[in-house]
């Protein structure tokens, strides 16, 4: 029963570190070894604390009822549930196996027998416990490490896993970390002879291998063999690899992964021979629940490097804010950043910022985007054609026609760079994330300014309007999709000029019509902000709420805005692009002089991409 610990004895960890050799030996004699499969619950919140546990190998997630994200993770040689056990309470959290794991169990009757034989053990443990409780009240529990340590690579649908893909992926890992690649044959060489793959000994051996490497990469068999099952159950992250032209129907390997592995730990990688325009990705996504999908081109190693950054938690994101015409500044800043060596792995935004990042994700040249902005809003007056105000103030058909010339015909899932936009769902009063489907519809919904433009309606009957109502800077959405640093863009909107306007001078309907059609009185209308200006500025209220959601790896960029520029002054887009470009170049130099971690991350990504190639 204790063969796994017979040589090393009881781990000297946590509250057991102060025990003497005889007391530790007494404890070891009473311990029971227990093996858990991935997903098994070790202790459940609210249950009686009738035992404490020590992790031999594996990983466990600590969660609270009603909270999706784990509070923390527990790894090898750490105790589980010792506080409630020794104080006689109930479980305050649920602890579940994140992979196949081994623990030692000490029950109440066994502990009472030990205490009777070794009276000093209780005093030693309670002293250590009080110190541990004091430390707990001072320090917050460490957040779980978002980086997976073990990966399982399985085939998706009717695909095979291309050898060139495996070679390139393992080359990127080898260039940037220590990684051990295991297929069934290699695992048979390294695991103890004659040991079944589903045994505690096999689990222990794999976890010991993990301690020697940054990553273990399991290559599953083509079919659902014992090795494939072990690889999937033991993995922190499962990559299902698809190839063009294969049958997209989920296979038995994927079905097992869906049963054992959380959605957040499952990704689809679609491998292409060449980087060229994409289509048909939706057929792979239709029957799968995934954290994300990634496109990889075998003729462009940078796409493999991007996948690696998502896996190891260093993918660089760009978050663009809403702000009407001010969003032209995104174009100049983006141009400065890419010329400075920034390579973005995922892009997202709100309202006009969603349109700008959509163009970036389509790999459009910044100068072309600036010309397109002029074409849409200046040459063709996309936001200046008014209509009878039954459904909106603006003629949405004209607006849509201008926008669709640049964005129609592209699906988000067919972009080489992951992209999202956000809109406000007025049916459920929730933020709506667009990361699949028609790109034009996603941008149109995110920029659907209430009153000015009619909402976008989904096939399910949901009403979607401008995302700025709920999240003008969608950094929280970016955090949901990935770990790692982000460039976050926001604006300091110039304060509205104060007008010497008396409320009682605002004309009635009849007076307004009369004064508007009479050229002699038209200039006598009160110099007060118009309906569109008031509406747009109302939507921008609360735009600074995002600051509290920034994480240490996020860097806020606030390009300068002319003090006399309004959020509908699209005719000044070139000025904004030019100013933001030069400001962005200077800001990057400032960050370099300060040795900012963002610059180090950008440079490390560039080196990793070169080494992987």
């Amino acid at each position: 029963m204790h063969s796994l610990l017979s040589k090393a004895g009881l781990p000297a960890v946590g509250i057991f570190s102060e025990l003497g050799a005889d007391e530790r030996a007494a404890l070891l004699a009473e311990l029971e070894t227990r093996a858990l499969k991935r997903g098994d619950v070790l202790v459940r919140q609210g249950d009686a604390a009738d035992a404490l546990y020590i992790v031999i190998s594996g990983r466990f997630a600590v969660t609270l009822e009603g909270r999706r994200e784990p509070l923390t993770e527990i790894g090898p040689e750490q105790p589980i549930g010792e506080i409630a056990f020794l104080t006689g309470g109930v479980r305050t959290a649920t602890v579940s196996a994140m992979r196949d794991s081994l623990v030692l169990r000490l029950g109440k009757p066994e502990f009472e027998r030990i205490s009777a034989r070794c009276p000093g053990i209780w005093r030693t443990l309670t002293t250590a416990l009080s110190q541990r409780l004091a430390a707990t009240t001072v320090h917050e529990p460490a957040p779980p490490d978002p980086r997976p340590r073990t990966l399982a690579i399985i085939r998706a649908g009717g695909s095979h896993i291309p050898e060139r893909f495996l070679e390139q992926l393992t080359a990127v890992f080898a260039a940037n970390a220590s990684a051990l690649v295991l297929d069934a044959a290699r695992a048979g060489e390294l695991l103890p002879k004659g040991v079944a793959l589903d045994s505690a000994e096999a689990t222990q051996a794999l976890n010991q291998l993990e301690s020697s490497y940054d990553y273990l990469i399991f290559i599953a068999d083509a079919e659902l063999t014992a090795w494939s099952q072990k690889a999937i159950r033991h993995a922190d992250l499962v990559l299902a690899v698809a190839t063009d032209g294969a049958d997209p129907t989920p296979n038995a390997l994927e079905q097992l992964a869906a049963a054992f592995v959380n959605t957040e730990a499952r990704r689809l990688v679609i491998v292409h021979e060449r980087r060229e325009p994409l289509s048909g990705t939706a057929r792979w996504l239709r029957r799968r629940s995934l954290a994300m999908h990634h496109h990889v081109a075998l003729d462009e190693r940078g796409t493999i490097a991007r996948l690696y950054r998502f896996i190891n938690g260093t993918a660089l994101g760009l978050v663009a804010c809403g702000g009407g015409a001010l969003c032209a500044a995104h174009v100049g800043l983006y141009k400065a950043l890419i010329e400075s060596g920034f390579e973005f792995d995922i892009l997202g935004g709100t309202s006009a910022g969603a349109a700008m990042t959509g163009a970036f994700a389509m790999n459009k040249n910044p100068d072309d985007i600036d010309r397109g902005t002029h074409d849409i809003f200046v040459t063709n007056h996309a936001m200046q054609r008014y209509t009878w105000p039954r459904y909106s103030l603006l003629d949405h058909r004209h607006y849509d026609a201008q926008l669709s010339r640049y964005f129609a015909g592209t699906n988000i899932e067919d972009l080489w760079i992951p992209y999202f936009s956000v809109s406000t769902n007025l049916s459920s009063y929730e933020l709506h994330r667009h990361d699949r489907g028609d790109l034009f519809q996603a941008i149109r919904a995110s920029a659907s300014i209430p009153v000015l433009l009619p909402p976008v309606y989904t096939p399910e009957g949901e009403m979607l309007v401008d995302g700025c109502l709920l999240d003008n800077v969608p950094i929280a959405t970016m955090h949901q999709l990935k770990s790692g640093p982000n460039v976050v863009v926001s604006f300091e909107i110039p304060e509205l000029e104060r007008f010497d306007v008396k409320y009682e001078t605002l004309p009635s309907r009849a007076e307004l019509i009369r004064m508007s059609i009479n050229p002699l009185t038209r200039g006598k209308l009160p110099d007060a902000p118009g309906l569109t200006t008031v509406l747009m500025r109302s939507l921008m209220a609360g735009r600074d709420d995002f600051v509290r959601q920034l994480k240490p790896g996020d860097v806020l960029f606030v390009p300068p805005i002319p003090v006399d520029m309004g959020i509908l002054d699209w005719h000044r887009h070139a000025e904004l692009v030019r100013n933001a470009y030069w400001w962005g170049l200077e800001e990057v130099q400032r960050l370099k002089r300060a040795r900012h971690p963002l610059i180090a991350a950008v440079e490390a990504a560039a080196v990793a991409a070169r080494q992987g190639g």
Side-chain angles (χ1 to χ4, degrees):
M1 179 177 295
H2 305 298
S3 59
L4 296 173
L5 291 179
S6 58
K7 293 182 180 180
L10 181 69
V13 296
I15 60 173
F16 305 109
S17 59
E18 301 298 325
L19 297 178
D22 293 343
E23 294 168 330
R24 288 159 59 81
L27 270 176
L28 179 61
E30 298 290 352
L31 291 172
E32 170 194 354
T33 303
R34 178 172 294 185
L36 293 97
K37 300 295 185 184
R38 184 190 192 113
D40 287 351
V41 175
L42 180 63
V43 301
R44 193 176 300 278
Q45 185 174 344
D47 288 353
D50 58 351
L52 67 81
Y53 301 90
I54 307 168
V55 180
I56 302 175
S57 64
R59 292 173 72 183
F60 291 82
V62 181
T63 57
L64 292 178
E65 289 182 6
R67 290 186 58 172
R68 184 177 180 182
E69 295 296 324
L71 290 177
T72 188
E73 294 178 5
I74 299 175
E77 297 192 353
Q78 291 184 317
I80 295 176
E82 74 282 9
I83 294 177
F85 175 77
L86 293 176
T87 58
V90 297
R91 304 298 187 189
T92 58
T94 296
V95 181
S96 306
M98 299 178 67
R99 64 168 72 153
D100 290 2
S101 303
L102 296 174
V103 298
L104 297 175
R105 181 184 185 276
L106 178 65
K108 281 283 188 184
E110 293 79 10
F111 181 70
E112 290 172 357
R113 285 199 298 269
I114 297 171
S115 298
R117 295 199 308 270
C118 307
I121 196 171
W122 178 257
R123 181 175 59 256
T124 303
L125 289 179
T126 53
T127 299
L129 175 61
S130 64
Q131 295 171 348
R132 188 176 178 88
L133 284 171
T136 302
T137 60
V138 174
H139 302 289
E140 291 291 329
D145 187 347
R147 296 170 299 177
R149 296 287 306 281
T150 55
L151 285 70
I153 299 178
I154 64 176
R155 65 184 185 89
S159 305
H160 68 283
I161 302 176
E163 286 297 326
R164 286 178 61 198
F165 167 74
L166 292 177
E167 291 170 1
Q168 292 183 19
L169 183 67
T170 54
V172 171
F173 271 89
N176 299 283
S178 60
L180 176 64
V181 179
L182 293 174
D183 57 12
R186 181 64 173 150
E189 296 172 0
L190 296 179
L191 294 180
K193 301 299 181 184
V195 169
L197 286 171
D198 61 352
S199 66
E201 288 78 9
T203 297
Q204 172 72 351
L206 288 175
N207 285 325
Q208 287 179 340
L209 282 174
E210 181 187 337
S211 65
S212 302
Y213 296 90
D214 295 323
Y215 296 96
L216 294 185
I217 303 175
F218 305 125
I219 311 299
D221 293 329
E223 304 303 327
L224 192 58
T225 61
W227 168 246
S228 297
Q229 294 182 53
K230 186 64 175 179
I232 291 170
R233 288 203 315 266
H234 204 84
D236 298 327
L237 176 67
V238 174
L239 298 180
V241 179
T243 53
D244 283 334
D247 179 4
T249 305
N251 59 42
L253 295 158
E254 294 178 279
Q255 292 170 4
L256 181 71
F260 279 96
V261 183
N262 292 335
T263 299
E264 293 77 10
R266 301 199 305 271
R267 293 173 181 260
L268 177 70
V269 181
I270 305 177
V271 180
H272 310 268
E273 287 292 328
R274 293 169 297 280
R275 177 161 180 163
E276 53 190 12
L278 302 172
S279 64
T281 304
R283 70 191 188 100
W284 287 101
L285 303 180
R286 200 166 291 126
R287 298 174 59 181
R288 291 172 172 84
S289 295
L290 303 162
M292 288 186 69
H293 72 280
H294 306 268
H295 292 287
V296 165
L298 296 178
D299 68 339
E300 186 174 321
R301 296 292 182 94
T303 58
I304 291 278
R306 172 174 292 131
L307 174 62
Y308 172 78
R309 291 192 291 272
F310 273 103
I311 292 172
N312 81 342
T314 59
L316 179 61
L318 173 62
V319 180
C321 66
L326 306 184
C327 288
H330 287 104
V331 179
L333 177 59
Y334 178 75
K335 181 179 180 180
L337 293 175
I338 60 175
E339 288 183 2
S340 300
F342 284 61
E343 181 177 355
F344 292 101
D345 300 305
I346 179 172
L347 307 156
T350 299
S351 196
M356 299 305 175
T357 48
F360 302 158
M362 295 172 72
N363 202 31
K364 299 295 185 182
N365 182 279
D367 293 334
D368 291 336
I369 298 172
D370 186 36
R371 284 189 285 269
T373 300
H374 187 90
D375 177 51
I376 293 172
F377 295 103
V378 180
T379 302
N380 288 289
H381 309 290
M383 297 191 69
Q384 292 179 291
R385 182 175 293 184
Y386 289 86
T387 186
W388 183 257
R390 172 61 176 86
Y391 303 103
S392 62
L393 291 178
L394 294 177
D395 180 357
H396 70 285
R397 292 288 182 88
H398 176 67
Y399 176 84
D400 291 355
Q402 305 312 314
L403 203 64
S404 65
R405 289 191 293 115
Y406 290 88
F407 295 107
T410 298
N411 286 332
I412 296 173
E413 61 268 21
D414 291 328
L415 295 170
W416 280 98
I417 301 176
Y419 165 85
F420 71 88
S421 69
V422 296
S423 62
T424 299
N425 189 325
L426 291 184
S427 297
S428 60
Y429 300 104
E430 295 176 334
L431 196 68
H432 186 99
R433 186 176 82 203
H434 303 263
D435 53 13
R436 297 183 187 181
D438 185 69
L439 177 62
F440 165 74
Q441 289 290 337
I443 293 172
R444 174 64 178 80
S446 185
S448 185
I449 305 167
V451 181
L452 284 186
L453 294 165
V456 169
Y457 299 94
T458 70
E460 296 75 26
E462 295 174 312
M463 180 191 298
L464 307 180
V465 298
D466 200 306
C468 73
L469 272 70
L470 292 182
D471 197 352
N472 196 51
V473 186
I475 182 61
T477 300
M478 183 66 83
H479 289 158
Q480 292 170 4
L481 292 170
K482 74 167 190 71
S483 303
N486 298 290
V487 168
V488 184
V489 185
S490 185
F491 305 127
E492 290 182 359
I493 310 298
E495 291 188 4
L496 184 65
E497 179 184 356
R498 295 182 181 275
F499 292 92
D500 185 16
V501 178
K502 295 182 179 179
Y503 178 78
E504 60 272 15
T505 65
L506 297 178
S508 66
R509 181 181 65 172
E511 291 172 331
L512 180 60
I513 294 174
R514 195 163 52 245
M515 296 175 71
S516 297
I517 63 177
N518 187 344
L520 299 177
T521 59
R522 189 180 304 155
K524 296 181 180 181
L525 287 170
D527 188 17
L531 171 62
T532 303
T533 299
V534 173
L535 175 62
M536 291 292 290
R537 292 192 64 84
S538 298
L539 295 178
M540 298 300 293
R543 62 187 179 275
D544 294 330
D545 289 348
F546 74 93
V547 174
R548 59 186 173 83
Q549 299 171 339
L550 295 176
K551 293 185 176 181
D554 301 327
V555 180
L556 179 62
F557 285 72
V558 185
I561 303 297
V563 295
D564 60 340
M565 183 171 180
I567 51 183
L568 292 176
D569 290 341
W570 287 101
H571 62 282
R572 299 179 64 178
H573 65 90
E575 175 187 356
L576 271 183
V577 171
R578 182 175 60 254
N579 291 349
Y581 171 73
W582 291 112
W583 177 86
L585 292 177
E586 293 177 357
E587 187 68 5
V588 170
Q589 292 304 314
R590 185 188 68 81
L591 293 174
K592 287 183 177 180
R593 290 192 297 271
R595 297 184 179 179
H596 195 282
L598 177 65
I599 300 300
V602 169
E603 293 174 346
V607 171
R610 290 195 298 270
Q611 291 177 337

